[in-house]
Amino acid sequence: MPPTEIRPYRPTDEERWLRCRVLSFLHTAYYDDVVQRKPVRPTPSVELVAVRGDTLVGILDAELGGDTAVIETVAVHPDHQGRGVGGRLLGTLLECLREQGVRRLDAWTRDDPATLAWYRSGGFTDHDHYLHVYADHDEVARPALPLLDTRSPQGSRPPPAPKVKAVVRAFGHADLADEEELRAEFRRVHVCRRFTRPVGPPGPRTERTLKS
C-alpha cells in the first residue's frame, strides 16, 4: 500500500473531495448534508487532503479568525478509516495553526459516538450544547414546534412566501433543556456540541509533508 501524503487542497481535487465527504457522512448524523461544489473558504484558512497513491482518502478544512480556528469539515473515506488518517490530518493542521499564532481550535459536531470518541482522543473537550431538530411533513403541526421558534433566534421555520401554500419541512435550533419534550414529538433530534482544545506552543517539527 502506498504511503499517505498530507498536502494542501488543490482545485483539481474537487470531485474527489466531494466524493470523500459524502461517503464519509453517509452513515452519520450528517447523512443528508450533501454539497455539489466545495465551499470556498475565506482567507485565512487551512485546507488539507490526505492522498494515498491516486486515491484521496481524507479531507480537513479549518477557518481562522484571530487566535481561534474552527474545523469546518473533517472526513475520512470509509474504506480508509481506522488507519490514522484523521489523526495525521489533525496533527498537520495543529502545526500549521501554531506557525500562524492560533491558540485555540474549535469544532462543532453532532452525536455520532465514533466522532465524539475521535475528538476526545485528539485532546478536545466538549462545552456548549444545543439541539438540532428536523420536522418532516407530518410533524410541522406538532405542538412542540414553537420551541424552535420562540426559544432560539436561530430557528428556521419562516412563514410561507405568498406563492408557497405551506411549509412541509422545518429545521431549527432548540435549548438542550427541551430535549426530552422534543424527542417525544420529533423523530430526528441531535445534540450539537462545541469541542475545543488548545493548539499549544510550537514544538520540534514533526513528520509533515506539505507539497503544493
Side-chain angles (χ1 to χ4, degrees):
M1 180 178 294
T4 301
E5 175 191 359
I6 309 297
R7 61 164 174 79
Y9 169 83
R10 304 167 184 163
T12 54
D13 294 325
E14 183 176 31
E15 183 64 24
R16 294 186 299 164
W17 189 99
L18 294 169
R19 290 176 180 272
C20 179
R21 182 182 184 276
V22 73
L23 290 172
S24 174
F25 285 9
L26 182 59
H27 297 295
T28 75
Y30 289 97
Y31 64 89
D32 54 351
D33 182 8
V34 177
V35 296
Q36 294 180 303
R37 298 293 302 271
K38 184 184 185 302
V40 177
R41 303 295 179 196
T43 302
S45 63
V46 178
E47 300 170 75
L48 302 171
V49 296
V51 180
R52 192 169 279 163
D54 293 329
T55 305
L56 192 150
V57 300
I59 61 177
L60 193 157
D61 286 5
E63 296 184 3
L64 284 60
D67 65 354
T68 301
V70 179
I71 293 176
E72 296 294 339
T73 297
V74 58
V76 176
H77 190 289
D79 292 345
H80 298 269
Q81 292 175 4
R83 301 177 183 175
V85 175
R88 287 197 57 195
L89 285 164
L90 177 61
T92 303
L93 171 65
L94 289 170
E95 187 173 344
C96 293
L97 298 180
R98 293 183 188 111
E99 292 173 354
Q100 299 188 56
V102 175
R103 301 180 63 182
R104 191 182 80 194
L105 177 60
D106 287 355
W108 290 90
T109 193
R110 290 178 180 166
D111 37 17
D112 294 294
T115 302
L116 302 182
W118 183 81
Y119 276 111
R120 289 169 180 148
S121 70
F124 290 83
T125 55
D126 55 310
H127 295 275
D128 305 314
H129 304 75
Y130 67 98
L131 301 177
H132 283 175
V133 183
Y134 290 82
D136 282 327
H137 60 92
D138 61 328
E139 299 174 317
V140 292
R142 296 287 175 85
L145 193 66
L147 291 174
L148 309 186
D149 300 326
T150 61
R151 300 196 184 187
S152 171
Q154 298 163 309
S156 58
R157 182 177 177 254
K163 295 184 180 181
V164 176
K165 295 181 179 180
V167 175
V168 297
R169 193 177 189 197
F171 167 75
H173 295 179
D175 293 337
L176 187 65
D178 295 317
E179 181 178 9
E180 183 176 357
E181 180 178 357
L182 290 168
R183 286 191 184 277
E185 292 277 355
F186 303 104
R187 291 185 293 270
R188 188 177 176 192
V189 178
H190 301 288
V191 177
C192 187
R193 66 198 73 206
R194 179 175 67 91
F195 277 94
T196 188
R197 60 153 290 165
V199 170
R205 293 188 66 83
T206 58
E207 177 189 6
R208 177 178 171 202
T209 304
L210 281 181
K211 300 176 182 178
S212 59

